Amino acid sequence: MERPSVESIFSQSLEALQDQFERWGESRWRAGQLMDWIYRKFAGSFDECSNLSKTLRAKLKENYSFYCAPLVTVTGQEHETRKFLWKLEGGDLIESVLIPAGHEDSDRQTLCVSTQVGCPCGCKFCASGRSGFVRNLTVAEIVGQFLGAERWYRRQTGVKEERLLSNIVVMGMGEPLANYENLMAALSVINAPWGGNLGARKITISTSGLAPQIRRLAGEEPQYRLAISLHAATDSIRNQIMPVNHRYPLKELLAACEAYQRAKGRMISFEYILIDRLNDTPEQCDLLAGIARRFHAHVNLIPFNDVDGCDFRRPPQTVIQGFFNHLQQRGVSVTLRQKKGGDINAACGQLRLRKMEKN
Ligand code: SAH
Ligand code: SF4
């Protein structure tokens, strides 16, 4: 299918639309009304924006697309992790994962969004990395995952006013910092008071460690949180599982993290997938504790989840618990993502991989 020549309405800033409306001889504040329809009422088309005149709606339709990728499947039950598979224009598939808040009395949830179709980084343990790189997502395709989840929620529950999402983690398919401009533009829409209105501290970007882009991010205004996918505490082990480490070895990566922290305060956490007899040794644990303490950073331990065609294994439960305890004894703030979190991340990329293999 051909990609549309008109721009998506979901990649527009309020200011850009205000200027456009003015050029059309419309009031600037009408642009705010349109944003309200998109980001508060989660309208599905220009025609739903009933307080905009027919002429204005016609002009909008001529100049902008309201296209959002349709849902192919949703898996998972209520109060559990749900996985959305979206079909982009052109047929590519991407995933987002909805993660419940973790307590019964809250409907607020975190959405894990993708930034690329596949991933160029090629990490050995990751489904997205193993299936190769296809392309960057556009701004509208990133914002579209947020809108798609909110719209799905409305269809499910019939609620009109209440919001579903309280947090975003950019931890789905792809390396977010390898799609830097589109990511920044999409997050600014999700973050803006006229847009998704999600505070920057509720947004976490996860990276495999592109040091120059981490430094660039340090210079951006919003206070996004940063999760570093460390997964090994020495270059020799990290090189074996993350090709990106050849380009930006630990020393360079951690220096960039320091620059980020100097600019932003304590906004960094480390992700660490535990893989049997690879990175789960006492030596790695000690070194990881040292790094975490140096940054006063939280560590998320994620027991490896099986990936089709990958020989790595999850360590025995006693080893996982021992690794966790040891970090805690060293004074590191640490969480162990059993089941809930673990499944989710590995699942990012997996659903697509399986679907592609079937076709
Ligand atoms: N590319 C970025 C963004 C997220 S990657 C990054 O690497 O940080 C997707 C997430 O899933 C990462 O947190 C990664 O560590 C995790 N993940 C990938 N494969 C996994 C597996 N087999 N088991 C558990 N977690 C996995
Ligand atoms: Fe890409 Fe992240 Fe997967 Fe590595 S872990 S291949 S960086 S998506």
Side-chain angles (χ1 to χ4, degrees), residues 74-78 80-83:
V74 189
T75 54
Q77 301 299 313
E78 210 182 335
E80 279 178 10
T81 299
R82 304 220 201 214
K83 293 159 208 151

Side-chain angles (χ1 to χ4, degrees), residues 168 170-171 175-177 180 183-184 200-211 213-218 222-229 253 256-261 264-271 295 297-298 300:
I168 296 265
V170 189
M171 264 185 206
E175 168 49 52
L177 298 187
Y180 193 92
L183 173 73
M184 285 302 115
R201 285 160 187 272
K202 307 275 176 153
I203 298 175
T204 303
I205 302 169
S206 177
T207 179
S208 59
L210 306 190
Q213 283 89 332
I214 292 173
R215 288 178 187 277
R216 190 170 166 199
L217 192 64
Q223 301 272 85
Y224 299 128
R225 290 183 189 277
L226 189 61
I228 305 293
S229 290
L253 168 59
C257 290
E258 245 163 28
Y260 194 82
Q261 212 161 44
K264 304 283 181 197
R266 287 186 193 175
M267 305 286 276
I268 290 184
S269 61
F270 292 107
E271 306 283 308
F295 286 91
H298 185 83
N300 265 319

Side-chain angles (χ1 to χ4, degrees), residues 125-126 170-172 174-176 206-208 229 231 273 302 304-305 307 345-346:
F125 48 81
C126 171
V170 189
M171 264 185 206
E175 168 49 52
S206 177
T207 179
S208 59
S229 290
H231 307 325
I273 299 178
I302 314 157
F304 173 76
N305 270 292
V307 167
N345 279 336

Side-chain angles (χ1 to χ4, degrees), residues 102-228:
H103 38 94
E104 298 286 305
D105 56 348
S106 173
D107 287 336
R108 309 279 275 175
Q109 312 218 14
T110 296
L111 189 71
C112 175
V113 300
S114 294
T115 51
Q116 299 181 313
V117 182
C119 182
C121 294
C123 301
K124 299 285 193 298
F125 48 81
C126 171
S128 309
R130 296 174 66 86
S131 57
F133 174 65
V134 181
R135 68 170 174 88
N136 280 331
L137 296 191
T138 63
V139 177
E141 286 165 342
I142 300 172
V143 175
Q145 296 169 62
F146 164 84
L147 291 175
E150 289 285 359
R151 289 180 189 177
W152 167 85
Y153 177 67
R154 267 152 198 77
R155 284 198 303 275
Q156 284 295 106
T157 58
V159 298
K160 292 227 157 41
E161 298 305 325
E162 208 180 307
R163 276 280 295 273
L164 169 68
L165 301 172
S166 55
N167 294 75
I168 296 265
V169 293
V170 189
M171 264 185 206
M173 204 193 308
E175 168 49 52
L177 298 187
N179 186 11
Y180 193 92
E181 274 82 15
N182 291 352
L183 173 73
M184 285 302 115
L187 290 184
S188 79
V189 171
I190 292 172
N191 176 223
W194 51 260
N197 199 24
L198 264 187
R201 285 160 187 272
K202 307 275 176 153
I203 298 175
T204 303
I205 302 169
S206 177
T207 179
S208 59
L210 306 190
Q213 283 89 332
I214 292 173
R215 288 178 187 277
R216 190 170 166 199
L217 192 64
E220 304 279 350
E221 204 185 307
Q223 301 272 85
Y224 299 128
R225 290 183 189 277
L226 189 61
I228 305 293

Side-chain angles (χ1 to χ4, degrees), residues 341-359:
D343 282 350
I344 303 157
N345 279 336
C348 261
Q350 289 256 53
L351 216 55
R352 166 173 170 268
L353 198 62
R354 292 201 181 134
K355 190 103 191 163
M356 286 194 324
E357 277 164 1
K358 258 193 252 158
N359 291 340

